[in-house]
Amino acid sequence: QVQLVESGGGSVQPGESLRLACTASGDTGSTVYMAWFRQRPGRGREGVAGIDNSGNANYHSSVKGRFTISKDNAKNTLYLEMSALKPEDTAIYYCAAATRRWALTIVPPDTWINYWGQGTQVTVSS
């Protein structure tokens, strides 16, 4: 089992930046892909960004160029740097981990994910 705990959410104004962090514990050696998903009001959960153990990153088209995913293996921590935030980025952001390799250049669907964090709220509003 793997436990994921997110931090760093909050309320910001449009154009501002925010960094999310996700600390993993437990059987972290079993995970080969980590990602950030979000659920916007009235919508289903969508993949925002993902990264494999080699550091290859994928992004949803709506965040490409604004968001950066990274991880610190020594700290078992996944990050999401979000800049130029827009009101439509308002959502609950979830950290996710998968135990199967993902080879495509898009973020996998949520059905690929084995472990989820509890979520952290990000609100972008003026």
Side-chain angles (χ1 to χ4, degrees):
Q1 293 292 315
V2 176
Q3 294 77 43
L4 304 171
V5 179
E6 303 98 335
S7 60
S11 296
V12 297
Q13 295 189 344
E16 293 186 340
S17 300
L18 204 60
R19 186 177 81 160
L20 304 182
C22 169
T23 301
S25 61
D27 188 18
T28 57
S30 68
T31 60
V32 297
Y33 192 91
M34 296 192 74
W36 290 96
F37 283 71
R38 68 184 179 188
Q39 186 161 17
R40 294 186 274 185
R43 301 191 182 191
R45 195 155 45 185
E46 63 181 359
V48 174
I51 188 167
D52 65 18
N53 281 356
S54 297
N56 299 306
N58 303 316
Y59 296 93
H60 189 279
S61 58
S62 66
V63 307
K64 200 170 291 185
R66 299 189 298 122
F67 290 12
T68 302
I69 189 170
S70 63
K71 59 180 183 173
D72 185 332
N73 291 327
K75 296 181 179 180
N76 285 326
T77 301
L78 180 74
Y79 299 100
L80 185 67
E81 298 274 0
M82 304 184 292
S83 63
L85 282 161
K86 305 175 181 180
E88 51 264 41
D89 293 318
T90 295
I92 300 173
Y93 283 74
Y94 297 91
C95 178
T99 58
R100 294 172 292 171
R101 295 182 64 185
W102 179 258
L104 301 183
T105 57
I106 57 174
V107 184
D110 58 3
T111 52
W112 194 260
I113 299 301
N114 300 100
Y115 303 104
W116 295 94
Q118 81 287 353
T120 186
Q121 177 71 45
V122 172
T123 301
V124 185
S125 174
S126 55

